Amino acid sequence: MSCRSRPERWLRILLLAGGVLVAPAAWAAPRVILPFVADTWREFSLSARRPMVVVFSTTDCTHCPAVIDNLAATIRASHSSLRLVVVVMDGAGQEQALRGDSHYRKANALYAFDGDALALRFRVNPDWRGVTPYVALIPVVGATHFYAGAPPRDSLQALLRIPSGH
Amino acid sequence: MRALIAGLVLAWTTALAAHEGHGGEDPKAGAKAGAHAKAGLSIGAAVAPDGLLWLVGLNSDGGLFVQSSKDLGATWNARQLLDIGRDKVAADGENRPKIAFGPNHSVVISYTQPLAKPYTGEIRMLSSDDSGMSFHAPVTVHRDRQVITHRFESLAFDRSGVLHTIWIDKRDQVAADLHESARSNKNGYAGAAIYRNESRDGGRSFGPDIKVADHSCECCRIALAATPAGGIAALWRHVFAPNIRDHAFAVLGEEPKAPVRASFDEWKLDACPHHGPGLAVSQRGGYHAIWFGDKAGRAAVRYGRLAGDGQPQGEAQELPDPRAEHADVASAGRQVAIAWRSYDGTRTHLRAWVSADDGEQFVQRELASSNEENDHPRMIATPERILVVWRTAKDIHVLPISP
């Protein structure tokens, strides 16, 4: 399990909060692959000021690109402030490849697991056995919903209708 | 304090710009924030004809090594680093290097080499004809050399000494996509395909690529087991129309026109389970099988019996652990053992279900636990015993299982 210094932890919280405060003027590719560590999932929930869709992927997940593409297209078409975050579970050390992947470029933020994948998975959802894409719909208020594969259209539309900051 | 806040704000502004894409292009930016790269823990293990336990895996630098033990893991010989040139080796979970022993002192080691294009790979093999003292340079196993998926290989020698290699292959999906694109047909080819070949010289050369089945799942390991007749049987996750990810069975070389459906969880899923099955021969005929699946909304690892042709026999049973994952099964005579790992939020437990009567009754055993990062358990059966080999970040656990 990774241990982080307090300033680094606060920096990541500020990063996350900043991502919420500054609405993207245009769809912009993430240029930094952030480490998804033990506290990252909790920070997603605590600091979210606008709803998020988090897609957990792997580099050999052949279903993931289409799900990411469809989510990105739906979010863009809705002009929503919904954030699309992609977490590549086996992406550590593959920053160049991840940045070059056109699917990941559609995310607002890109993370890679940094630590014991089993423990990180458990933090997200103890019932998750590693299926990818694993999609979490995180509203600002209310429970997070998890889906193996593409989320149902109704669930995504419901999240898209929630105004930011609500 | 002011300096700290100012520093944080500056760092936040800079990082935010990069994070949300408003900063300048900095191709090295990821190196500062990126997750720490590490070599995969996944190993292959097998017992040699002389009784030595061998394993193959990656060291912390990503180098492929073999190591052997004459006392079932109490002590280990020095690691032997293998020369694989510039190859990279997938060693993460379902994708792992493998080792197998054949006749005439032959040893083979296989691995998947990921290629530069995403979701692609080729299967490579090292062979030895001096009991593993030295290895020939790696060769590509399959004749198809497209930069596409050739991954998740499994391999085994049959009783006559023929080496069988079987893998997941996307050549048919690629061909179907091209064909459909030309015809503006968007129906798509579900999943990948299972291909295999044979080597009659211990992995030095290979026969033609032979299709076993269309429409396999794309991301799960393939289980192999010796048949009573000395052949090799395979069990893999399949995509039954339209999107049911249950399991299919075939005896290599005797493949029926359509694969035999071996499980009926009816798991409709357009995603990658990353969770392949296990298979072992039953003394009273047929096979013991384990697999992960979601049946009527209940995700579990299940145990079932298969007839000699792969048809399910009776109801499948859930393992007695709702957090069980990546189980494996092995048999030796009437002994049957199923081992799995289970994470409780703090530690990973290695557990087993053990039977002395060919799977009629099972008792549960706690084998080990660890708070370290760890691999899936690997089971090995010899005529005398069943072993489970479990690699954690700092240790290799070798645990004999007896009823």
Side-chain angles (χ1 to χ4, degrees), chain B residues 338-349:
Chain B
I338 298 164
W340 67 90
R341 69 176 190 178
S342 178
Y343 185 66
D344 67 6
T346 308
R347 298 180 71 81
T348 306
H349 301 270

Side-chain angles (χ1 to χ4, degrees), chain A residues 131, chain B residues 237 243-246 265-269 273 292-294:
Chain A
V131 174
Chain B
R237 190 184 293 280
N243 63 342
I244 298 169
R245 283 176 198 265
D246 264 307
D265 288 351
E266 305 288 346
W267 190 13
K268 292 183 177 176
L269 182 72
F292 173 77
D294 189 311

Side-chain angles (χ1 to χ4, degrees), chain B residues 138-258:
Chain B
V139 296
T140 299
V141 168
H142 37 87
R143 293 191 179 178
D144 181 72
R145 298 300 169 90
Q146 296 177 79
V147 182
I148 60 171
T149 293
H150 311 90
R151 297 168 74 107
F152 298 99
E153 86 287 356
S154 287
L155 77 170
F157 285 94
D158 68 21
R159 195 180 291 164
S160 63
V162 175
L163 172 64
H164 298 263
T165 308
I166 185 167
W167 65 90
I168 292 173
D169 193 309
K170 280 207 166 171
R171 71 185 75 177
D172 297 289
Q173 189 214 44
V174 170
D177 284 353
L178 283 172
H179 182 68
E180 287 171 4
S181 176
R183 298 178 59 186
S184 300
N185 181 350
K186 295 290 180 186
N187 287 334
Y189 177 101
I194 302 288
Y195 273 77
R196 70 176 186 92
N197 67 14
E198 297 176 2
S199 171
R200 294 171 189 275
D201 56 6
R204 300 297 302 278
S205 65
F206 301 90
D209 301 351
I210 303 164
K211 190 194 291 188
V212 177
D214 281 304
H215 309 306
S216 71
C217 188
E218 305 95 325
C219 51
C220 295
R221 73 187 184 200
I222 302 166
L224 298 180
T227 70
I232 303 294
L235 183 70
W236 66 91
R237 190 184 293 280
H238 200 74
V239 184
F240 293 94
N243 63 342
I244 298 169
R245 283 176 198 265
D246 264 307
H247 294 82
F249 174 96
V251 174
L252 303 186
E254 303 172 14
E255 294 91 351
K257 284 184 180 173

Side-chain angles (χ1 to χ4, degrees), chain B residues 22 59 70 96 99 113 116 247 257 299 327:
Chain B
H22 298 288
N59 64 19
K70 61 185 175 187
R96 63 190 174 94
I99 183 167
Q113 176 182 221
H247 294 82
K257 284 184 180 173

Side-chain angles (χ1 to χ4, degrees), chain A residues 14 19 28 31-35 58-63 65 83 92-93 95 99 109 114-115 118-119 121 126 129-132, chain B residues 12 15 19-21 23 25 27 30 33-38 119 152 170 218 245 270-272 274 292 322-323 325 343 345 348:
Chain A
L14 285 167
R31 293 183 188 133
V32 177
I33 290 90
L34 296 164
T58 57
T59 55
D60 61 358
C61 170
T62 52
H63 292 269
R83 296 186 78 224
E95 282 79 8
R99 277 198 299 270
D114 189 8
L118 197 55
R121 235 192 317 126
R129 290 289 177 277
V131 174
T132 62
Chain B
W12 170 42
H19 179 62
E20 291 284 4
E25 282 289 349
H36 302 105
K38 58 191 174 186
Y119 319 108
F152 298 99
K170 280 207 166 171
E218 305 95 325
R245 283 176 198 265
D270 291 312
C272 297
H274 302 288
F292 173 77
R323 298 208 189 289
E325 63 174 52
Y343 185 66
T348 306

Side-chain angles (χ1 to χ4, degrees), chain A residues 134-147:
Chain A
Y134 195 65
V135 181
L137 303 186
I138 309 178
V140 175
V141 178
T144 296
H145 292 279
F146 296 97
Y147 302 95

Side-chain angles (χ1 to χ4, degrees), chain B residues 280 328-332 335-339 352-355 362 379 386 401-402:
Chain B
D328 198 2
V329 61
S331 63
Q335 296 181 35
V336 184
I338 298 164
W353 225 20
V354 186
S355 170
F362 286 92
M379 301 202 72
I386 299 172
I401 301 178
S402 54

Side-chain angles (χ1 to χ4, degrees), chain A residues 70-83:
Chain A
N70 288 337
L71 285 168
T74 305
I75 293 167
R76 190 187 295 191
S78 73
H79 303 289
S80 162
S81 61
L82 193 73
R83 296 186 78 224

